[in-house]
């Protein structure tokens, strides 16, 4: 702690760098699409809605709660939204700096790695994002386990932080948190067994029990049932994983199923390289220091070096696995990559590598950061927007005062409205409407109109945001119908032919049957369709309970 306090200017510098970078990139953007998830969730919580009860929450609980607190304190603004990511980015950069000093890196080198973390930790996404929150919390959890290994006298304290960090990461996003949790669990048990210190596992075990009891108590107080939590957070994630790995297809035996998984992973790897050709040099350059650290550590047979290289490899491979197994851009898991660099450098030091060689290798993370800023993970590229179109951006305050400081543009692949003037006209029209409308959009229209959302879907992704079939879908449809009746909604707003995540209101036949399409009004690509509330009330409940 004394060493930390001895370098306050270093911490202040990386904090300022992280905040300024993220505020800049977070406010050069577009009408939020999938980056609206946390905004919408926080808005719902601010309006008294309870996650898992009033709206389906497949992930993002922790960042939504944090964002709701920021909105409560400073108002619902885009600046406050980006500030959330900026503060977390600064905190993560400080954690990297702290870890660097604890791993005996010289201060300039530790500051360099912290600066890299500030550049690639959150700015490539800009706004709060569930994947990046999970990656940051997972990286901090890995650090806690590592510091516990290197500081036996404080091990139980460090490891007591692991369960709450694991839970916070998991409740941000199931992946990559689950990969990191599995690695940390194995690492803790292995170290405790090798050093014959089984009692070191008692504190994290007690911490886990206390955390779970607190969660159960909170969930019970807010009426969150195990069934609703399981369906929304566990079942939906498993269904998506099975679909992406090809496990949902029938196989005669386990060997064929495993072969199918390998084929799917190979296909996804090729797809990742095709879609993000800039990723090739980034992956290669990033892996060099990690690989050299592993080779040097195992040749030297030094325990501390082996541990550091193993943790660096775990962080790097978690980043790679996450990038390969999801449809998101790799930019969303970059904090794990930022962690791998100082750990690899720490292994160099433990192996006694020449300082000049070690410092030369530190140029590779800097090269990675530069590659990201010149095209691969530009903030807007993280969501497939061509940066050259930013010249067409509009000051989003023309749409709503809540979007002040946001430069707005719609990505080319967005199926909805492109003219910001039509967004403004829509908001003015809905503001005059006495009842809240049913909004079929993946943007933040409800918040811009200052209305409590009606739909129980946080966003419109089949299987994640709302169930595809079976009893969960019946429960969702009944809740959807009930929410419409309670709100007295008599209007539906469709953002184009389908939402950004490809859902149409016709995917809900009972709802489509109560729409008066022949009386619809158009504002640009928005369709304002009257909804027959009496028709909705006459519909039978699907689940019968």
């Amino acid at each position: 702690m004394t060493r930390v306090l001895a370098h306050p200017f270093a911490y202040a510098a990386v904090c300022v760098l992280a905040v300024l970078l993220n505020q800049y990139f977070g406010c050069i953007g577009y009408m939020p699409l999938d980056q609206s998830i946390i905004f919408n969730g926080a808005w719902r919580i601010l309006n008294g809605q309870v996650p898992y009860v009033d709206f389906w929450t497949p992930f993002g609980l922790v960042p939504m709660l944090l964002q709701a607190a920021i909105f409560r304190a400073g108002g619902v603004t885009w600046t406050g939204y980006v500030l959330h990511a900026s503060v977390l980015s600064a905190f993560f950069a400080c954690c990297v700096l702290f870890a660097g000093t604890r791993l005996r890196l010289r201060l300039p080198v530790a500051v360099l790695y912290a600066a890299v973390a500030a550049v690639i930790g959150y700015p490539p996404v800009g706004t709060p994002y569930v994947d990046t929150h999970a990656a940051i919390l997972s990286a901090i959890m890995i650090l806690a386990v590592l510091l516990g290994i290197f500081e036996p006298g404080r091990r139980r304290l460090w490891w007591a932080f692991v369960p709450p960090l694991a839970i916070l990461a998991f409740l941000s996003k199931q992946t990559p948190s689950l990969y990191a949790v599995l690695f940390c669990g194995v690492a803790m048990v292995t170290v405790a067994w090798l050093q014959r210190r089984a009692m070191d596992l008692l504190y994290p075990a007690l911490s886990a029990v206390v955390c779970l009891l607190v969660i159960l108590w909170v969930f019970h107080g807010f009426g969150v049932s195990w069934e609703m939590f399981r369906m929304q957070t566990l079942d939906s994630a498993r269904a998506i994983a099975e679909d992406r790995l090809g496990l949902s297809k029938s196989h005669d035996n386990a060997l064929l199923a495993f072969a199918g998984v390998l084929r799917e992973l190979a296909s996804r790897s090729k797809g990742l390289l095709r879609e993000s050709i800039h990723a090739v040099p980034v992956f290669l350059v990033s892996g060099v220091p990690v690989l050299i650290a592993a080779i040097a550590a195992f040749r030297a047979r030094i325990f501390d070096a082996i541990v550091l290289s193993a943790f660096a490899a775990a962080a790097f491979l978690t980043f790679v696995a996450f990038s390969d197994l999801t449809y998101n851009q790799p930019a969303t898991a970059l904090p794990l990559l930022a962690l791998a660099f100082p750990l690899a450098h720490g292994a160099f030091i433990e192996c006694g590598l020449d300082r000049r060689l070690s410092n030369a290798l530190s140029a590779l993370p800097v090269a990675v950061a530069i590659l990201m800023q010149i095209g691969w993970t530009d903030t807007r590229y993280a969501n497939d927007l061509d940066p050259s179109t930013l010249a067409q951006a509009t000051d989003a305050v023309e749409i709503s005062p809540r979007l002040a400081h946001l430069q707005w543009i719609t990505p080319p692949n967005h199926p909805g409205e492109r003219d910001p003037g039509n967004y403004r006209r829509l908001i003015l029209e809905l503001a005059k409407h006495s009842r809240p409308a049913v909004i079929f959009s993946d943007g933040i229209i409800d918040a811009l109109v200052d209305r409590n959302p009606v739909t129980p879907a946080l966003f419109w992704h089949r299987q994640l945001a709302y169930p595809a079939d079976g009893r969960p879908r019946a429960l969702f449809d009944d809740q959807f119908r009930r929410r419409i009746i309670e709100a007295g909604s008599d209007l539906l707003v469709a953002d184009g032919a389908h939402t950004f995540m490809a859902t149409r209101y016709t995917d809900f036949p009972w709802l489509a049957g109560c729409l008066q399409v022949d009386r619809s009004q158009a504002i640009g690509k928005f369709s304002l369709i009257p909804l027959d509330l009496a028709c909705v009330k006459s519909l039978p409940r699907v689940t019968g309970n």
Side-chain angles (χ1 to χ4, degrees), residues 212-249:
L212 291 174
L213 288 176
V214 170
I215 290 175
L216 289 174
W217 176 68
V218 172
F219 277 16
H220 176 74
F222 284 96
V224 180
S225 68
W226 163 250
E227 182 185 27
M228 293 302 289
F229 177 80
R230 175 182 53 78
M231 286 191 299
Q232 296 177 40
T233 302
L234 304 180
D235 292 352
S236 63
R238 186 180 67 250
I240 289 292
E242 290 176 348
D243 179 64
R244 291 179 177 176
L245 292 176
L247 293 175
S248 56
K249 303 172 185 177

Side-chain angles (χ1 to χ4, degrees), residues 438-442 455 457 460-462 466 473 476-477 480 484 491-521 525-531 539:
V438 177
I439 306 293
F440 258 80
S441 171
D442 288 320
T455 70
W460 293 106
H461 184 291
R462 180 181 173 86
Y466 64 93
R473 178 58 181 265
F476 180 88
D477 284 350
F480 196 176
I484 291 174
L491 183 69
L492 180 141
V493 176
D495 186 357
H498 57 79
T499 68
F500 178 68
M501 298 187 185
T503 293
R504 305 170 188 270
Y505 63 79
T506 52
D507 293 334
F508 299 85
W510 61 268
L511 177 62
C514 293
L515 293 174
Q516 301 171 341
V517 181
D518 57 329
R519 295 175 51 201
S520 64
Q521 171 190 355
K525 288 190 178 180
F526 291 110
S527 296
L528 283 69
I529 310 173
L531 174 61
L539 295 171

